[in-house]
Amino acid sequence: MLFKNITILDENLEVRENMYVGITKDRISYIGEKEPAEDYGKAYDGKGKLLMSGFFNAHSHSPMSLMRGYGENMMLQDWLNNRIWPFEDHLDSNAVYWGTMLDLAESVKFGTVSISDMYYFCPDMAKAYSDSGCKGNISRSIAAFVEEDFKTSVRGKECIEFFEKYHNTDEGRIKVDMSLHAEYTSVPGVAKQLADYMKEIGAGMQVHVSETKKEHEECIGRHGKTPTAYLADLGIFDTNATAAHCVWVTPEDRRILKEKNVTVACNPISNLKLASGVCNAPAMLSEGINVAIGTDSVASNNSHNIFSEVKTFALIMKCFFGNPTLITPKQAIYAATRAGAIAQGRPDCGLVKEGNKADLIVVDISAANMQPIHDLLSNLVYSASGAEIMMTMIDGNVLYENGEYTRIDLEKAVFEADAAKNKILKEL
Amino acid sequence: MLFKNITILDENLEVRENMYVGITKDRISYIGEKEPAEDYGKAYDGKGKLLMSGFFNAHSHSPMSLMRGYGENMMLQDWLNNRIWPFEDHLDSNAVYWGTMLDLAESVKFGTVSISDMYYFCPDMAKAYSDSGCKGNISRSIAAFVEEDFKTSVRGKECIEFFEKYHNTDEGRIKVDMSLHAEYTSVPGVAKQLADYMKEIGAGMQVHVSETKKEHEECIGRHGKTPTAYLADLGIFDTNATAAHCVWVTPEDRRILKEKNVTVACNPISNLKLASGVCNAPAMLSEGINVAIGTDSVASNNSHNIFSEVKTFALIMKCFFGNPTLITPKQAIYAATRAGAIAQGRPDCGLVKEGNKADLIVVDISAANMQPIHDLLSNLVYSASGAEIMMTMIDGNVLYENGEYTRIDLEKAVFEADAAKNKILKEL
């Protein structure tokens, strides 16, 4: 496919107008001001459109789309104890597959191309990714309340088998990361063994860190150190690791995160909704930490519209840290694209660059809410609703165009997800 | 027109499924579970759709759409002194007309039916409202730095002439309110005369109150009272008044606002973006103050997508005031609909109720991001993107349906607004 006369955000996130971008198989094979000599077959008229990298969602629990709006205006522990955990107790393969599929339908519609996804029933999640053509770093979240031998434990075996069977499948679209759920849901021996295994196989890591003040302070009470210091000492960050939330991390924690090259996945909407607080992304960015953006689950968001997340990310930092100059539009777009690709160990993703994977979105910049244009990046961050996504392409495959899905049967996904939800509600 | 088998949010904001809603001329003439005997002509299939009141935007400056994204990441005074005010100095009738028209195109697309609008070149704004079929309370914002006789002053005469010519025109769609810009931009004598004139003619009032800490504290320094107490003493609230922002108001100020029946227009996104702070809407609601939602101008938002504003309103209160149980979905929807209609002196608007004005929107609730439904109000507040608006109807006229405008020439509005913007940039 050849995009003609289209505006692009290039690899430096600079706006370039009237460009030609050619796609060959799964990669961007040409970017230039002139029409290439090569015949690309299908042409796409780019007038009034922007071509940019799709979004890399750095933290999610996709099957929880089944719990969208289930338990509102509740205190965190009440919500977990009386809504989320009882519901999750009734999940099965079918529910997780359709919950994931519905989530991917929503994600693709709003321009997400890849997700760092932490949950369980992982083979069912992987099947939904595979069937839909989406990219994802799927991880089996490990909680362990008693010391045991990780590799021979039920969870450990599940984890190892999932990694061996699924890592780098679907032409690399599916990657398998390791995941320690969090400090407060695991004993140190198992956490250490998981870190050792992760290093042995060279896998990535997804872990919750200092999401709430309670969690942060109780860790200090238990271990005499912050969650960041505790996890670093166990070796959990000795890989390509993503620490989700980091709302309560200290300056010393940030020094550790920087030293260990950890990506911070900031989830501004979920953190606001659960009243957890605000991650100090401006400080992290100024210290050179790779800050990416996650949606967390739909159960605490309640959407996977990354445009909404990007806007909230850029807004909340200004007010919470009392300075309207904080977070530029370019920083916000970078966090939602390239920073997430780096977190997922996908160095050839997240930038519109020759040779990179063709994980692209087309945005309608002629819509009423996107005009006039003084600063296109600012319009993207603050003015876009998500409705402007005209196309989502992953590895060169068009998965969504003009409101239609090419691989996902939306009606079936909605029906099956609703049926799975209703079945569980009946059982409760 | 007859909406058939449609889900509605009724006058108590309760969800009722499979309903029939009939529209006769500009009003809702039938709501029932059974198909009415009367022949309504055109039928609308409501399967998978929600019919609810359109949004009443309680605070805006619509022609500022021309300044969307003009001056980002700047301190408030720097932004005003070096971007907004120099640009505004070059505005003319044509620029204001097309700026307003572009703004209305965006507003209607995202389900807004009526706007409390404060600016100047008001006859040009009124023409755009009239040509597009939109509702609005338009006000000529009065700033006065020297004492003078209001009624014979240039601004006073402009204000009086605009009221006499335009108030309650277009079958009541256009109303004219008075507007004192703010305490810090006016001298007390003129403010008092404006309040007296407002009472004489029975007009409403739109005024900025305690948006920033600086403004709030400097008023106390100048007058020995808060802006709220100062304005109340001048009589500015002795009408149907809307106080925009109220970020820094005190508990005593809230007592005055409640006693005077003032509507507080909360503008969460603009207040975050300019790092002004967060209006204590939860306290106001618990004290019985009418809290409505405004977008403020596109220059500090940068969108007029009320779904985005409603979500931010519900989110920010939880985190800022440290309690996830604050602001229910119903409170948020009420604030964006009925509370705004009350603020605008439109008692027969803002609720789906027999006899009320047909200011309605149809929302696609079968979209991937709106499913499954545990709690429809929660999905509306947190999961909708704005793309789900299938129809916007004002006074029984369909102004927008399935992406198409019936009265606004979008392409022309975008072209003319862009040309007006470019002309001003050249002059600067």
Side-chain angles (χ1 to χ4, degrees):
Chain A
M1 181 184 288
L2 181 69
F3 294 95
K4 296 172 99 161
N5 295 311
I6 200 158
T7 299
I8 71 167
L9 280 192
D10 72 10
E11 58 184 291
N12 302 310
L13 299 184
E14 298 293 330
V15 177
R16 296 169 71 187
E17 295 180 351
N18 297 311
M19 299 293 289
Y20 290 81
V21 178
I23 310 299
T24 306
K25 292 181 184 160
D26 59 340
R27 297 201 179 258
I28 300 166
S29 52
Y30 177 83
I31 301 175
E33 289 170 11
K34 291 184 182 156
E35 184 150 6
E38 192 183 336
D39 180 13
Y40 275 91
K42 195 182 157 194
Y44 186 96
D45 176 14
K47 188 167 177 276
K49 309 282 199 308
L50 170 74
L51 185 74
M52 61 179 281
S53 168
F55 297 121
F56 288 74
N57 184 344
H59 184 60
S60 183
H61 313 279
S62 63
M64 293 180 79
S65 67
L66 298 180
M67 286 160 260
R68 189 195 304 276
Y70 182 59
E72 294 293 308
N73 293 95
M74 296 171 82
M75 298 300 287
L76 180 67
Q77 280 310 315
D78 184 23
W79 177 69
L80 290 172
N81 290 331
N82 296 308
R83 293 296 175 108
I84 300 304
W85 291 337
F87 190 102
E88 286 185 332
D89 251 4
H90 289 259
L91 287 173
D92 59 17
S93 281
N94 181 67
V96 165
Y97 175 81
W98 287 111
T100 305
M101 189 61 93
L102 181 64
D103 191 277
L104 294 176
E106 179 181 5
S107 295
V108 160
K109 170 181 169 176
F110 292 121
T112 293
V113 291
S114 189
I115 302 172
S116 295
D117 210 344
M118 181 201 284
Y119 212 59
Y120 51 112
F121 290 97
C122 292
D124 303 297
M125 295 167 71
K127 182 164 169 20
Y129 276 81
S130 195
D131 290 350
S132 64
C134 288
K135 263 179 199 182
N137 285 38
I138 307 173
S139 65
R140 203 301 173 200
S141 175
I142 297 291
F145 297 95
V146 289
E147 293 293 359
E148 58 185 343
D149 181 58
F150 173 69
K151 286 193 181 178
T152 58
S153 69
V154 175
R155 290 282 167 269
K157 282 195 280 187
E158 184 187 338
C159 202
I160 292 165
E161 190 186 331
F162 180 61
F163 181 83
E164 288 174 351
K165 194 161 167 198
Y166 287 91
H167 185 54
N168 270 330
T169 56
D170 271 22
E171 296 140 337
R173 281 193 293 281
I174 294 178
K175 289 182 181 291
V176 176
D177 287 346
M178 295 297 109
S179 168
L180 184 74
H181 177 267
E183 171 276 330
Y184 67 98
T185 49
S186 58
V187 288
V190 173
K192 170 93 175 51
Q193 290 177 72
L194 177 62
D196 291 342
Y197 174 64
M198 163 197 93
K199 284 185 265 188
E200 180 188 325
I201 57 172
M205 167 56 63
Q206 301 176 28
V207 56
H208 291 111
V209 177
S210 296
E211 177 176 5
T212 66
K213 190 178 182 188
K214 181 169 179 285
E215 164 203 341
H216 184 79
E217 290 180 346
E218 287 183 358
C219 175
I220 296 171
R222 266 190 295 272
H223 303 292
K225 4 180 168 169
T226 62
T228 299
Y230 167 81
L231 295 167
D233 287 350
L234 291 173
I236 286 288
F237 297 142
D238 295 343
T239 182
N240 194 33
T242 298
H245 304 299
C246 296
V247 171
W248 294 94
V249 295
T250 63
E252 170 59 15
D253 289 341
R254 296 202 305 261
R255 195 195 57 72
I256 296 170
L257 294 168
K258 168 65 186 159
E259 182 191 301
K260 296 278 182 184
N261 266 319
V262 176
T263 293
V264 171
C266 182
N267 304 269
I269 292 179
S270 173
N271 295 157
L272 290 176
K273 190 156 189 286
L274 297 171
S276 304
V278 177
C279 163
N280 194 345
M284 292 171 182
L285 287 167
S286 74
E287 291 158 9
I289 294 172
N290 188 48
V291 176
I293 293 180
T295 56
D296 209 354
S297 89
V298 150
S300 61
N301 189 307
N302 303 341
S303 133
H304 275 183
N305 179 353
I306 297 263
F307 275 117
S308 172
E309 204 74 43
V310 167
K311 180 167 181 169
T312 305
F313 175 78
L315 286 174
I316 188 67
M317 304 302 166
K318 294 174 175 54
C319 190
F320 203 82
F321 300 107
N323 181 352
T325 71
L326 295 174
I327 306 292
T328 62
K330 189 180 275 194
Q331 285 178 317
I333 294 288
Y334 183 90
T337 54
R338 179 64 175 169
I342 291 170
Q344 294 178 358
R346 301 180 186 272
D348 54 354
C349 294
L351 290 177
V352 178
K353 185 178 172 181
E354 269 185 27
N356 268 18
K357 292 279 191 177
D359 300 328
L360 300 167
I361 57 177
V362 175
V363 182
D364 177 12
I365 53 175
S366 65
N369 54 306
M370 298 297 281
Q371 289 283 333
I373 300 172
H374 287 278
D375 174 350
L376 182 55
L377 281 168
S378 162
N379 287 11
L380 277 174
V381 169
Y382 296 110
S383 309
S385 68
E388 303 75 18
I389 303 276
M390 310 300 288
M391 178 196 283
T392 302
M393 171 187 278
I394 298 177
D395 272 3
N397 299 310
V398 175
L399 297 196
Y400 178 83
E401 190 171 5
N402 301 328
E404 302 291 328
Y405 296 88
T406 58
R407 298 193 183 186
I408 297 173
D409 182 339
L410 178 64
E411 214 168 317
K412 188 167 169 65
V414 165
F415 176 84
E416 296 288 355
D418 193 50
K421 172 210 87 172
N422 290 334
K423 180 169 171 281
I424 292 173
L425 290 182
K426 255 186 208 162
E427 289 165 6
L428 281 170
Chain B
M1 180 187 287
L2 181 68
F3 294 95
K4 297 173 99 161
N5 296 309
I6 200 158
T7 300
I8 71 168
L9 281 193
D10 73 9
E11 59 185 290
N12 301 310
L13 300 184
E14 298 293 331
V15 177
R16 295 169 72 188
E17 293 179 353
N18 297 312
M19 299 294 289
Y20 291 81
V21 177
I23 310 299
T24 308
K25 290 182 185 160
D26 59 341
R27 294 195 183 265
I28 300 166
S29 52
Y30 177 82
I31 300 175
E33 289 169 11
K34 289 181 183 158
E35 185 150 4
E38 192 183 333
D39 179 13
Y40 275 91
K42 195 183 158 193
Y44 186 96
D45 177 13
K47 186 163 178 279
K49 308 282 198 311
L50 169 75
L51 185 73
M52 62 179 280
S53 168
F55 298 120
F56 288 73
N57 184 346
H59 184 60
S60 183
H61 314 280
S62 63
M64 291 179 80
S65 67
L66 299 182
M67 285 161 262
R68 187 195 305 276
Y70 182 58
E72 294 293 308
N73 294 93
M74 296 170 83
M75 299 299 288
L76 180 66
Q77 281 310 317
D78 184 23
W79 178 68
L80 290 172
N81 290 331
N82 296 309
R83 291 298 175 107
I84 300 304
W85 291 337
F87 190 102
E88 286 184 331
D89 251 4
H90 289 259
L91 287 172
D92 59 20
S93 281
N94 181 68
V96 165
Y97 175 81
W98 287 111
T100 306
M101 189 60 93
L102 181 64
D103 192 277
L104 295 174
E106 178 180 5
S107 295
V108 160
K109 169 181 170 176
F110 291 120
T112 293
V113 291
S114 189
I115 302 172
S116 295
D117 210 345
M118 181 201 283
Y119 212 59
Y120 51 113
F121 289 95
C122 292
D124 303 297
M125 295 167 71
K127 183 164 168 22
Y129 275 81
S130 195
D131 291 349
S132 65
C134 289
K135 262 178 200 184
N137 285 37
I138 306 173
S139 65
R140 203 301 173 201
S141 175
I142 296 290
F145 297 96
V146 289
E147 293 294 0
E148 59 185 341
D149 181 59
F150 173 70
K151 286 194 183 178
T152 58
S153 69
V154 175
R155 290 284 168 270
K157 282 195 281 187
E158 184 188 337
C159 200
I160 291 164
E161 189 186 329
F162 180 62
F163 181 83
E164 288 176 348
K165 193 160 167 199
Y166 287 91
H167 185 55
N168 269 331
T169 55
D170 271 20
E171 295 139 338
R173 281 193 293 280
I174 293 178
K175 290 183 183 290
V176 176
D177 287 346
M178 295 298 110
S179 168
L180 184 73
H181 177 268
E183 171 275 329
Y184 67 99
T185 49
S186 58
V187 288
V190 173
K192 169 94 175 52
Q193 290 178 72
L194 177 63
D196 290 344
Y197 174 64
M198 163 197 92
K199 285 185 264 189
E200 182 188 322
I201 57 174
M205 167 57 64
Q206 301 176 29
V207 57
H208 291 111
V209 177
S210 297
E211 177 177 2
T212 66
K213 190 178 182 189
K214 180 169 180 282
E215 164 203 342
H216 185 79
E217 291 181 346
E218 287 183 357
C219 175
I220 297 171
R222 266 190 296 271
H223 303 293
K225 359 179 171 172
T226 63
T228 299
Y230 167 82
L231 295 167
D233 287 350
L234 291 173
I236 286 288
F237 297 141
D238 294 342
T239 183
N240 194 33
T242 297
H245 304 297
C246 296
V247 170
W248 294 94
V249 295
T250 63
E252 170 59 15
D253 289 341
R254 297 202 305 261
R255 196 197 56 72
I256 296 170
L257 293 169
K258 169 65 185 158
E259 182 191 302
K260 296 278 181 183
N261 267 318
V262 176
T263 293
V264 170
C266 184
N267 304 269
I269 291 179
S270 173
N271 295 158
L272 290 176
K273 189 156 190 286
L274 297 171
S276 304
V278 177
C279 163
N280 194 344
M284 293 172 183
L285 287 167
S286 74
E287 290 159 9
I289 293 172
N290 188 48
V291 176
I293 292 180
T295 56
D296 208 354
S297 89
V298 148
S300 61
N301 189 307
N302 304 341
S303 135
H304 276 182
N305 179 352
I306 298 263
F307 275 118
S308 171
E309 204 74 42
V310 166
K311 181 167 182 171
T312 305
F313 175 79
L315 286 174
I316 187 69
M317 305 302 167
K318 293 174 174 55
C319 191
F320 204 82
F321 300 108
N323 181 351
T325 71
L326 295 175
I327 306 292
T328 63
K330 190 180 276 195
Q331 285 178 316
I333 294 287
Y334 183 90
T337 54
R338 179 63 174 168
I342 290 169
Q344 294 179 356
R346 301 179 185 273
D348 54 355
C349 293
L351 290 177
V352 179
K353 185 179 172 182
E354 268 185 27
N356 267 18
K357 292 281 190 175
D359 300 327
L360 300 167
I361 57 176
V362 175
V363 182
D364 177 13
I365 52 174
S366 65
N369 54 305
M370 299 297 282
Q371 289 284 333
I373 300 172
H374 288 276
D375 174 350
L376 182 54
L377 281 167
S378 163
N379 286 10
L380 277 174
V381 169
Y382 297 110
S383 308
S385 68
E388 303 76 18
I389 304 276
M390 311 298 289
M391 178 196 283
T392 303
M393 172 188 277
I394 298 177
D395 272 5
N397 299 310
V398 175
L399 298 196
Y400 178 83
E401 189 171 6
N402 301 328
E404 301 291 330
Y405 296 88
T406 58
R407 297 193 184 188
I408 296 173
D409 182 339
L410 178 64
E411 214 168 320
K412 188 168 169 62
V414 165
F415 176 85
E416 296 288 355
D418 193 48
K421 174 211 85 170
N422 290 334
K423 180 168 171 282
I424 292 173
L425 290 182
K426 255 188 209 161
E427 288 166 7
L428 281 171

